């Protein structure tokens, strides 16, 4: 899961440490903990001192066990989530997925670059106007785009643009719980939950 390689570049030249860690044991936040610790440890060793790092308040193991407890506490939410995943979600294409054809190697890619004047509003003014976050704006845009696409592509079987689109939304996973401090905990924390996006019954062509 972890591999470190020290590249000694010779006398008078600063060496390089390559640290490779599998995503199974780290997330993006973990690197903000690891890198300062590695630097502090190296500086202490070079100076002939003792490596002293901050403690970990909540271990990943304890966190994992707390999730089992949370599942029991939240058992009453099960019907709500079943309702979300059971919503009408018409296919985006004319057929179901084919595991032999619809693979990563056959996928396309589209890249769009926005000017600063647009992205600044997207990141600031628009979320603030609706008392939300950038994710809310992007998901709303996705819902309207799917509705418009369905309305103009009769091969989807709808031809009206109606119906919700079901997506998985991923979060950082480091949710606050009583008595839990994850500020120095290294691990792969993540949350994935279903969201049913419905742009409503407005004019799909004008979306």
């Amino acid at each position: 899961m972890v591999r470190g390689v020290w590249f000694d570049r010779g006398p008078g030249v600063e060496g390089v440490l390559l640290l490779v860690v599998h995503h199974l044991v780290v997330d993006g936040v973990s690197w903000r903990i690891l890198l300062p610790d590695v630097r502090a440890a190296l500086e202490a060793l070079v100076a002939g001192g003792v490596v002293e790092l901050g403690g970990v308040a909540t271990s990943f193991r304890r966190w994992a066990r707390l999730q089992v407890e949370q599942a029991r506490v939240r058992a009453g939410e099960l019907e709500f989530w079943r309702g979300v995943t059971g919503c009408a979600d018409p296919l985006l294409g004319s057929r179901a997925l084919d595991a032999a054809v619809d693979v990563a190697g056959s996928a396309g890619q589209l890249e769009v670059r926005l000017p600063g004047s647009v992205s600044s509003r997207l990141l600031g003014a628009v979320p603030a106007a609706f008392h939300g976050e950038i994710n809310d704006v992007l998901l709303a845009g996705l819902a309207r785009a799917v509705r418009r696409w369905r309305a103009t592509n009769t091969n989807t079987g709808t031809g009206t643009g109606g119906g919700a689109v079901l997506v998985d939304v991923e979060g950082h996973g480091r949710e606050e719980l009583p008595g839990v401090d994850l500020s120095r905990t290294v691990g792969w924390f993540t949350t994935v939950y279903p969201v049913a996006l419905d742009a409503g019954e407005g004019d799909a062509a004008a979306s």
Side-chain angles (χ1 to χ4, degrees):
M1 292 295 174
V2 181
R3 177 65 59 89
V5 179
W6 175 256
F7 293 92
D8 188 340
R9 300 197 294 172
V13 181
E14 192 175 65
V16 176
L17 173 65
L18 172 65
L19 188 62
V20 180
V21 187
H22 199 288
H23 191 17
L24 284 173
V25 292
V26 292
D27 54 12
V29 177
S30 294
W31 284 109
R32 302 176 202 169
I33 302 167
L34 285 172
L35 294 182
D37 278 3
V38 170
R39 181 183 182 90
L42 287 173
E43 290 177 346
L45 291 172
V46 170
V50 178
V51 176
E52 296 181 356
L53 303 177
V56 178
T58 303
S59 68
F60 189 88
R61 182 176 184 178
R62 183 186 171 212
W63 169 258
R65 288 178 172 175
L66 285 172
Q67 301 316 297
V68 177
E69 296 177 14
Q70 283 294 306
R72 295 192 185 101
V73 172
R74 297 175 179 271
E77 299 177 7
L78 184 58
E79 288 307 312
F80 168 80
W81 293 111
R82 282 177 173 167
V84 173
T85 56
C87 73
D89 180 24
L91 291 175
L92 292 180
S94 58
R95 61 171 176 79
L97 288 175
D98 185 338
V101 177
D102 303 314
V103 295
S106 64
Q109 184 174 344
L110 174 65
E111 180 177 324
V112 178
R113 294 179 179 269
L114 299 177
S117 58
V118 174
S119 59
S120 62
R121 292 196 297 271
L122 184 63
L123 292 168
V126 177
F130 293 95
H131 307 287
E133 299 178 353
I134 179 60
N135 285 352
D136 303 315
V137 178
L138 294 177
L139 288 171
L142 173 64
R144 293 177 67 84
V146 170
R147 175 176 173 76
R148 183 174 184 179
W149 189 88
R150 282 173 173 164
T152 55
N153 288 267
T154 56
N155 66 331
T156 62
T158 58
T160 63
V165 56
L166 188 64
V167 298
D168 283 338
V169 176
E170 184 174 348
H172 57 75
R174 292 174 180 257
E175 310 298 341
E176 295 184 5
L177 293 173
V180 171
D181 179 2
L182 301 175
S183 60
R184 283 194 48 77
T185 305
V186 172
W188 184 11
F189 294 85
T190 189
T191 54
V192 179
Y193 52 94
V195 174
L197 305 171
D198 194 333
E201 298 300 326
D203 182 3
S207 296

